[in-house]
Amino acid sequence: MSAFAVYRLPYGTYATMVQQTNGEPLELSSCAQLNGRRGYVMAPFEITDSHPLLLIRPDKVERVELRKSRSEECGVRNEECLRAGNDYTIDFANFHSQLELGTFRKIVLARCAKEELSHSIPPMELFYKACDLYPRMMISLVCTEKGGYWLTATPEILLEGLGNDWRTIALAGTVRLEGDQLSGEGETVNWSTKNIQEQRYVATYIAECLEQFTSDFSEEGPSSVRAANLVHLRSDFTFTLPSKDCVGDLLKALHPTPAVCGLPKREAFHFITHNEHTPRLYYSGFQGWLGEEETHLYVSLRCMRIEGNSYYLYAGGGLLKDSLEEQEWAETEAKMETMRRVLENV
């Protein structure tokens, strides 16, 4: 298969298709190797030989007009919810025990659920449907030989740049919108101490990363921001860089942020990669356009891996010492609903 990525930025009126017309995407072993490069980036949570950091060469870049997706009845069966629930219970107990011991201040626990349709749907149809449903999010469909098909609808910027102006965000804390709240942007949400603390951990970490590369940055927030049927706490960081040649090094420092990993970062990352039942693969990595004048890189959240008529949904949540399993499971279900809606009546 030829490698390609098609993406639509938040509130965008069109999509952009990036195609590599021959050969395989460049495989990199470190974010730092992105220094001085351009193309569409697809980075996993953990870079390995089997799931490397991929850079799709932009042999052909073209504008794609958006259109309404076609709809038809299509039954969805969740085949692996029970087993996933059992695995989650085991993982939660394991992860939470480390919080009680004081090993981590925060750690993110993720899971995967398999959905099977009565027949396969062209991935571009799912892309158009996601664009219809989620105007606030960055929507992408990426296809590579090594990684397969991934559909993503993510609200989280990892790094954006236009000329010499750059920005990133700290996004954490999750509340599901219900009833009358769905008509707004989440401005009526009352945030718990747990959510506020979780978001502050992420914001503090990002500020410490930026201090290594620039003294010219500012932080605004946090404020509530809506993403599909959820609302999160978000702080915005704007900054300048002395040189664009260090973008790969900055990405290496930022990824993975505590929003998808934990604190202390190195120890949490090691624990996650050795103890989660389901490997994250490209979920909670990052992806997007890396260019000379313009960059749009997003954390790969609300992901769906497509294999024929089987669809693998990924979601996670940040655990603190006072986290409860039932509440954390419900948060992952709410996040998976983003992609389940894409599969409905398509």
Side-chain angles (χ1 to χ4, degrees), residues 3 9 33 53-54 67 80 103 108 126-127 130 195 208 241 268 273 288 311 325 338 344:
L9 295 175
Q33 293 175 338
L53 191 162
L54 300 172
R67 61 175 176 80
E80 297 192 356
T103 307
V108 175
L126 298 175
F127 173 79
N195 278 305
E208 291 172 349
L241 290 175
T273 56
Y311 301 83
E325 181 186 344
T338 300
E344 293 174 354

Side-chain angles (χ1 to χ4, degrees), residues 99-144:
L99 292 163
E100 293 179 318
L101 291 170
T103 307
F104 309 115
R105 284 175 283 162
K106 169 189 173 176
I107 190 165
V108 175
L109 174 58
R111 68 182 184 92
C112 174
K114 178 183 178 182
E115 306 280 354
E116 189 159 332
L117 273 62
S118 56
H119 62 276
S120 62
I121 303 297
M124 280 301 296
E125 288 294 329
L126 298 175
F127 173 79
Y128 289 131
K129 177 72 175 292
C131 289
D132 289 346
L133 288 173
Y134 307 122
R136 300 173 179 86
M137 296 188 184
M138 188 269 212
I139 311 298
S140 68
L141 175 67
V142 182
C143 171
T144 64

